Amino acid sequence: MISGFVVSYNREAVIETCLRSIRFVDELVVVDKSSTDGSAAIARRYADRVVTVPWSPSVEETRTLAYGECKGDFIVFLDDDECLSPEAMTFLKAEAAAPSADLYMLPCRQHILGRHDERAYYWPEAHVRAFRRGAMEFRPTVHGGLRNLSDSICRPDPASGICYHNVSHADAHEWIAKANRYTSIRDRNLTVDPAGRESPVLLARRCIEYYAGLVPEGGDVYLEAVAVLRALYTIIDGIKDWEQEQEATGSEMFDAFCLEMRRAYDTLEAATGLRTGAEPPPATAS
C-alpha cells in the first residue's frame, strides 16, 4: 500500500497541481493548517482524508502528525508548493511495488521568480520525497526536519526527468516574506556560522561575494537576482541570530523607553501645567 501526504496552508493557486501529481497513491492525506482561502475545498476533491489543524509557521512542525495519519508501508510526501514530474510519478509507483532502496532522494527543480534555470545557484539539489516506513524521521527544526534512518538511498539521475518541482517563490515579495517567517523561528538550522553574528557587514560582504561567484560568466539579470535573494536570506538569518542572543529584545527596549517617556511627561505636566494626559471626560449636563 502506498500512502501520500501533503501539509497545506493557503495554496489555492497551486494545490490542485500538487495533489494531482500525488493522487496515484492508494491513500492520500492532506493536513490543512486552517486555510482561509479555497485550499481545503480543493483538497477534499482529491484527498481520501483532510485533517484540519491550527496554523503554525512552518511545515516541519506538522509532518510528524501527517505521517502518523498514513497506513501504508511506502510513503510519498510533498509540500503544498511542490509537484512531481510525470516521470517521477511512474517511477515511484513502480518502486513501491518492488523497492530498490529505503529512501528516494529526488532532484528538486526550484522555480524562483516564476522560472527554473539550470544555470542558477540552486541546481542541482535533491531531497527525500519518498521512503519505506521506518526509514525516515520528521523533526520540527526548520530546514533540518528530515532525518534519514537508513543508508539505502536511491538518487535518480537529474537527466532522467525524475524530479519534483518547487513553485514556492513567485516574486521577491514572497521570498522575503518567507525568509522573514522562517528566520524568526528559534528551532531552525542556521544558514550561517554563529561567528557571523560578530560582524553583520562582513557577513553581508561574504554572502554577496559567495553567491555572486555562482553566477556564470555571461549570466543574465535573473541569475543575479536569485543569487542576491539567496544571499539576503543568510544575511537576515545571521542578524536575527545576533538579535536572539541579546539580553533584551528590541520590543522590550521600546516598551522600557515608552514607559520612561510617559513618566517624563507626568513630571512635566505636574511642574508646568502643560497638558500631556488624555482629554478629560466631557462634563455631564446637570
Side-chain angles (χ1 to χ4, degrees):
M1 180 179 180
I2 314 173
S3 289
F5 73 78
V6 173
V7 177
S8 177
Y9 176 72
N10 281 4
R11 286 290 186 179
E12 187 175 33
V14 298
I15 189 67
E16 181 174 16
T17 305
C18 169
L19 297 180
R20 287 191 64 181
S21 80
I22 197 175
R23 182 55 274 185
F24 68 89
V25 301
D26 302 310
E27 172 199 47
L28 177 56
V29 178
V30 172
V31 176
D32 183 77
K33 299 169 76 166
S34 300
S35 291
T36 58
D37 64 1
S39 296
I42 296 171
R44 283 190 283 270
R45 289 165 40 202
Y46 291 92
D48 296 295
R49 191 160 65 262
V50 176
V51 180
T52 302
V53 298
W55 180 84
S56 56
S58 73
V59 67
E60 285 87 354
E61 298 171 74
T62 314
R63 282 180 177 152
T64 298
L65 183 152
Y67 179 25
E69 292 285 332
C70 295
K71 301 181 179 66
D73 291 321
F74 192 93
I75 314 293
V76 182
F77 69 98
L78 295 171
D79 292 346
D80 59 0
D81 54 7
E82 299 172 350
C83 63
L84 296 167
S85 68
E87 294 88 344
M89 296 162 67
T90 304
F91 169 73
L92 292 176
K93 181 71 172 179
E95 282 293 317
S100 61
D102 292 334
L103 299 159
Y104 294 82
M105 187 168 285
L106 304 186
C108 174
R109 290 184 175 270
Q110 298 276 5
H111 294 249
I112 299 176
L113 307 186
R115 59 176 159 141
H116 172 79
D117 192 319
E118 292 192 1
R119 299 172 297 165
Y121 77 87
Y122 50 68
W123 179 259
E125 65 177 83
H127 303 283
V128 173
R129 283 300 179 267
F131 62 97
R132 299 176 73 180
R133 183 172 290 278
M136 169 71 69
E137 178 181 76
F138 296 102
R139 299 184 294 182
T141 303
V142 172
H143 294 147
L146 306 181
R147 182 184 176 212
N148 297 347
L149 301 179
S150 171
D151 294 326
S152 175
I153 303 174
C154 174
R155 295 180 173 87
D157 186 342
S160 68
I162 297 169
C163 70
Y164 73 97
H165 299 271
N166 185 314
V167 290
S168 180
H169 306 101
D171 51 34
H173 174 88
E174 196 169 356
W175 176 281
I176 293 168
K178 195 167 187 178
N180 189 44
R181 185 170 77 251
Y182 278 12
T183 55
S184 293
I185 299 171
R186 277 277 189 172
D187 187 6
R188 70 186 191 275
N189 268 355
L190 282 172
T191 56
V192 60
D193 187 290
R197 73 170 72 106
E198 301 301 326
S199 175
V201 169
L202 183 59
L203 170 64
R205 287 174 179 164
R206 287 177 175 172
C207 288
I208 292 293
E209 288 173 2
Y210 175 77
Y211 285 103
L214 299 180
V215 176
E217 289 278 333
D220 61 21
V221 174
Y222 170 78
L223 300 177
E224 293 185 7
V226 295
V228 170
L229 285 175
R230 183 60 187 83
L232 181 61
Y233 185 100
T234 301
I235 293 167
I236 294 170
D237 202 18
I239 291 173
K240 287 193 179 180
D241 179 50
W242 168 78
E243 278 189 313
Q244 290 161 358
E245 293 299 316
Q246 304 309 299
E247 291 184 3
T249 68
S251 293
E252 290 168 341
M253 288 187 279
F254 277 0
D255 289 345
F257 171 77
C258 288
L259 177 60
E260 178 184 347
M261 294 305 295
R262 289 196 299 271
R263 287 172 175 165
Y265 301 150
D266 289 342
T267 301
L268 177 65
E269 185 168 358
T272 67
L274 183 66
R275 181 175 294 281
T276 68
E279 291 296 324
T284 57
S286 56

